[in-house]
Amino acid sequence: MNRLAWTATVLTFALAGCGSPETTEPAEAPSPAPAPAPAGATGAVAMLQTADGTAAGRAAASDAGGQVMISLTVEGLPPGEHGVHVHTTGRCDAPTFETAGGHWNPTSQQHGLEDPAGQHAGDMPNLTVGPDGRGTLEYRLEGGSFAGLFDADGSAFVVHSGADDQRTDPSGDSGDRIACGVFERG
């Protein structure tokens, strides 16, 4: 119990003892404040939606020793392989989600996991969506930092209609953007 809450509780009981004979119930002690988040704990979530506003899952980002770990869970999407990326701007205006900008690329690399010179910080392996419309993927991004996700214009997570070929610059020929969500600290 913090010092202020303890002092208030002691004063309440002291005053109740000095009060009139009608006082029969002690005042209820205040609830303790919730514990603060652990030092250094950082996380963010992008709630994904399709162009018509239907919920499509979530992308969670966490600080993983100076890098960014993405945990992706989707639902209600077409079966098959889909390119998925962190995009450079924290906007998801339907229907095309073009306001999310290009792939997050703070180190000015070429696109693709197969590029020998490196990859965009927002590049990831393809997501496989099953016949039930669901899929999951976890990946530690190469390059970029958790703090970088929250630059002046933020960042977004995008699911594309087709597979990423992992080499064609700038976007891997992964097709239209079919779901998008803006990262928010949480």
Side-chain angles (χ1 to χ4, degrees):
M1 181 179 302
N2 70 34
R3 183 178 219 154
L4 182 57
W6 182 83
T7 302
T9 302
V10 168
L11 285 175
T12 300
F13 283 94
L15 290 174
C18 295
S20 66
E22 295 93 38
T23 304
T24 58
E25 294 181 26
E28 198 173 295
S31 299
T42 51
V45 174
M47 298 307 293
L48 305 175
Q49 294 186 342
T50 61
D52 67 3
T54 302
R58 62 182 257 155
S62 59
D63 188 338
Q67 292 181 310
V68 179
M69 175 64 80
I70 301 288
S71 296
L72 175 63
T73 303
V74 301
E75 58 187 21
L77 295 181
E81 298 284 311
H82 296 274
V84 292
H85 313 100
V86 175
H87 282 243
T88 192
T89 305
R91 289 194 53 191
C92 288
D93 297 345
T96 63
F97 305 124
E98 292 298 320
T99 54
H103 295 179
W104 186 38
N105 189 16
T107 57
S108 300
Q109 299 291 332
Q110 295 292 309
H111 171 74
L113 300 182
E114 295 177 10
D115 191 306
Q119 64 196 52
H120 295 156
D123 288 348
M124 295 179 58
N126 287 314
L127 166 70
T128 301
V129 175
D132 63 355
R134 298 176 185 266
T136 61
L137 176 67
E138 285 195 344
Y139 184 71
R140 185 184 308 254
L141 300 178
E142 298 293 326
S145 66
F146 186 83
L149 288 174
F150 296 99
D151 63 5
D153 61 2
S155 61
F157 195 88
V158 173
V159 178
H160 293 267
S161 61
D164 186 324
D165 68 15
Q166 300 299 340
R167 61 185 172 278
T168 304
D169 202 45
S171 64
D173 266 346
S174 50
D176 294 335
R177 300 167 186 206
I178 61 169
C180 186
V182 175
F183 280 108
E184 294 183 19
R185 290 185 190 270

